[in-house]
């Protein structure tokens, strides 16, 4: 039975939550009085459905349903998780909580997306303060994994349930141990934002020059190392202590204006707006979102390949989505979506990536017969000796596909596989691969017979697949 998430407030953040939950298999119930909310969330869903599956090698869960409800009470009825993302007005939030708690299950997690209020403020006067937490995400919620989890007076049971749910949908719950205004991440962002406003106001830099300073410099380091680890490396072999000794004195220099706020005048707003329009106004918001998502997918996949930072989180979550192959003929060895970093100058999947797809399919088959990671670590494996790949149709970015695999030969050291890569939407064959492998000893790097359990499994599969083909 699917779990149910209720989304109260369907703006940019609420829509992102809806997409994240739905694509992770939850049924989503939405309340938002905005007459345009369904269209707006539909556009967010379209972006999410294209981008999020690109991060995973494993198949995504079956998408949950999305339904629209005319009242808060109707939306939260029976929900396991309730995400409040209404405008940042405390009186409105408290009013909404009364409506929610009058209708929701006592054991549901009631989480707020707020960046501006502490949980103690949200729990004030609540019917069940112990079920309310802050779960502050970052846009786009369906791609960025961080959620600042701030408990306040929430019960330990609620906190653990919240951590478990966020982890299960591929997010990273950062447990903020003590509540503070703006939590953790937004305090950094506010400091950078404040200094950026001064630099523009004082004519030191334009909005584009400031963005370039971030995206071509320290922003790339922060994406994979954060702040303190970056500075630890900057300290050289002597590490953080040397960095602190070298740069600590500059903290007393009048470099920044972090404690001084520029007057927020119409002139400043116009200056910032005009520069921002000149910088990126040629692109619509939807085009900018698509560009942002493409870049994030590529960066996150690169980190995933190195098992670093957010990439390690995605790799671990990916493993929880894997499905056993079962006993069907053919075996579906790959279910995934073409990621943006696989596309070449012609706008379709590069031929080299087909080799990776079929290699992934053979590795799944190997694991299925017992030649898994433990088997390989013990010194045995299969090496590919020959492949013949045929490209039959274009494969485009964002397209879901599967690979069906048959064992056409399995005897002694020899293993031969026939792979068919098919578009998931209509079953059209996109490419085929005839792959011949030999079993080897990783110690001698020469061919040798498989261990008995693997050989028996290979022979059994080869027989079953031959019988199915002959039948």
């Amino acid at each position: 039975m699917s779990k149910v998430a209720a989304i109260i407030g369907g703006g940019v953040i609420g829509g992102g939550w809806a997409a994240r939950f739905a694509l992770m298999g939850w049924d989503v119930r939405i309340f938002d009085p905005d007459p345009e909310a369904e269209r707006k969330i539909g556009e967010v869903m379209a972006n999410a459905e294209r981008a999020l599956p690109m991060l995973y090698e494993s198949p995504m869960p079956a998408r949950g349903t999305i339904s629209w409800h005319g009242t808060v009470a109707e939306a939260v009825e029976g929900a396991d998780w309730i995400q409040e993302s209404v405008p940042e007005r405390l009186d409105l939030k408290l009013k909404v909580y009364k409506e929610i708690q009058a209708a929701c299950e006592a054991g549901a997690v009631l989480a707020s997306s707020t960046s501006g209020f502490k949980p103690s403020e949200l729990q004030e006067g609540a019917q069940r303060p112990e079920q309310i937490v802050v779960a502050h995400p970052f846009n786009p919620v369906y791609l960025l994994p961080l959620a600042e989890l701030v408990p306040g007076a929430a019960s330990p049971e609620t906190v653990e349930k919240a951590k478990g749910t966020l982890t299960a949908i591929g997010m990273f719950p950062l447990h903020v141990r003590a509540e503070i205004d703006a939590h953790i991440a937004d305090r950094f962002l506010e400091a950078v934002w404040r200094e950026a406003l001064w630099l523009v106001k004082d004519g030191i830099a334009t909005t584009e020059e400031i963005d370039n300073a971030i995206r071509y410099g320290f922003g790339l380091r922060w994406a994979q190392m954060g702040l303190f680890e970056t500075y630890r490396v900057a300290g050289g072999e002597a590490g953080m202590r040397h960095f602190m000794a070298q740069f600590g004195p500059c903290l007393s220099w009048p470099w920044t204006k972090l404690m001084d706020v520029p007057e927020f005048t119409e002139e400043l707003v116009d200056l910032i707006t005009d520069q921002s329009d000149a910088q990126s106004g040629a692109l619509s918001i939807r085009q900018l979102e698509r560009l942002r998502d493409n870049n994030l997918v590529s960066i996150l996949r690169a980190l995933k390949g190195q098992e670093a930072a957010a990439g390690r989180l995605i790799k671990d979550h990916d493993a929880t989505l894997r499905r056993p192959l079962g006993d069907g003929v053919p075996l579906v060895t790959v279910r995934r979506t073409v990621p943006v970093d696989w596309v070449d100058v012609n706008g379709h999947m590069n031929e080299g990536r087909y080799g990776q797809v079929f290699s992934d399919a053979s590795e799944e088959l190997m694991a299925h017969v017992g030649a898994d990671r433990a088997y390989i670590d013990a010194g045995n494996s299969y090496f590919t000796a020959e492949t013949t790949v045929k490209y039959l149709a274009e494969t485009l970015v964002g397209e879901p596909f599967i690979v069906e695999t048959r064992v056409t030969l399995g005897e002694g050291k020899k293993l031969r596989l026939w792979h068919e890569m098919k578009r998931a939407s209509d079953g059209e064959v996109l490419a085929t691969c005839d792959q011949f492998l030999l079993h080897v000893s990783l110690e001698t790097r020469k061919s040798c017979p498989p261990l008995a359990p693997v050989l028996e499994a290979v022979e059994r599969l080869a027989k079953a697949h031959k019988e199915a083909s002959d039948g």
Side-chain angles (χ1 to χ4, degrees), residues 4-5 7 17-18 21-22 26-30 64-67 69:
V4 176
I7 307 299
W17 277 112
F21 274 108
W26 285 55
D27 290 334
V28 176
R29 310 177 68 167
I30 303 173
T65 62
I66 294 181
S67 56
H69 300 270

Side-chain angles (χ1 to χ4, degrees), residues 395-417:
T395 308
L396 304 178
V397 65
E399 281 193 330
F401 67 88
I402 65 171
V403 175
E404 294 180 342
T405 299
R406 291 176 172 83
V407 180
T408 57
L409 174 66
E411 57 183 39
K413 297 180 279 188
K414 300 175 182 178
L415 175 62
R416 191 164 193 162
L417 306 176

Side-chain angles (χ1 to χ4, degrees), residues 32-270:
D32 192 307
D34 180 1
E36 291 290 304
E38 189 166 355
R39 176 189 63 80
K40 293 175 182 176
I41 289 186
E43 292 175 355
V44 173
M45 278 298 305
N47 283 344
E49 286 183 296
R50 175 184 179 274
L52 182 61
M54 294 183 192
L55 294 179
Y56 292 92
E57 273 61 46
S58 300
M60 300 293 290
R63 176 183 149 169
T65 62
I66 294 181
S67 56
W68 295 84
H69 300 270
T71 66
V72 168
E74 184 182 326
V76 304
E77 184 179 357
D80 303 282
W81 181 283
I82 302 158
Q83 189 71 33
E84 169 271 305
S85 302
V86 304
E88 292 284 80
R89 285 175 31 214
L90 185 57
D91 62 330
L92 176 59
K93 290 181 182 290
L94 296 180
K95 177 178 178 293
V96 168
Y97 290 168
K98 287 183 180 179
E99 294 183 60
I100 291 173
Q101 292 196 313
C104 75
E105 300 289 336
V109 174
L110 172 47
S112 176
S113 301
T114 184
S115 59
F117 296 111
K118 300 188 289 289
S120 60
E121 296 173 282
L122 304 176
Q123 294 159 346
E124 184 73 31
Q127 180 180 339
R128 291 183 299 275
E130 69 277 2
Q131 79 175 139
I132 299 173
V133 296
V134 167
H136 174 235
F138 290 81
N139 186 41
V141 183
Y142 54 80
L143 285 181
L144 296 183
L146 179 63
E148 293 179 303
L149 181 62
V150 195
S155 68
E157 293 77 15
T158 298
V159 174
E160 289 307 307
K161 186 174 182 180
K163 286 182 179 179
T165 295
L166 292 168
T167 301
I169 63 172
M171 300 189 77
F172 179 78
L174 178 61
H175 188 159
V176 182
R177 293 175 293 173
E179 65 173 31
I180 186 173
D181 290 325
H183 320 314
I184 295 176
D186 274 355
R187 295 180 73 88
F188 287 110
L189 293 177
E190 190 214 359
V192 173
W193 172 243
R194 188 177 298 193
E195 187 64 22
L197 292 180
W198 274 118
L199 290 171
V200 174
K201 183 178 185 300
D202 291 347
I204 305 300
T206 65
T207 59
E208 184 172 13
E209 289 165 351
I210 291 169
D211 285 350
N212 287 342
I214 296 170
R215 60 188 168 207
Y216 298 138
F218 62 87
L220 292 171
R221 298 184 306 190
W222 283 9
Q224 40 116 14
M225 280 191 163
L227 178 68
F228 284 98
E229 199 163 54
T230 292
Y231 286 159
R232 177 181 178 85
V233 173
E237 292 182 359
M240 180 60 83
R241 185 173 298 280
H242 175 68
F243 177 84
M244 295 288 286
Q246 185 174 5
F247 292 98
C250 74
L251 296 177
S252 62
W253 300 347
W255 277 3
T256 66
K257 299 184 179 181
L258 294 182
M259 301 307 293
D260 190 10
V261 184
E263 186 179 356
F264 209 70
T265 63
E266 286 296 325
E267 290 76 16
L268 179 58
V269 172
D270 289 343

Side-chain angles (χ1 to χ4, degrees), residues 102 228 430 437 448:
F228 284 98
L430 303 168
L437 304 96
C448 67

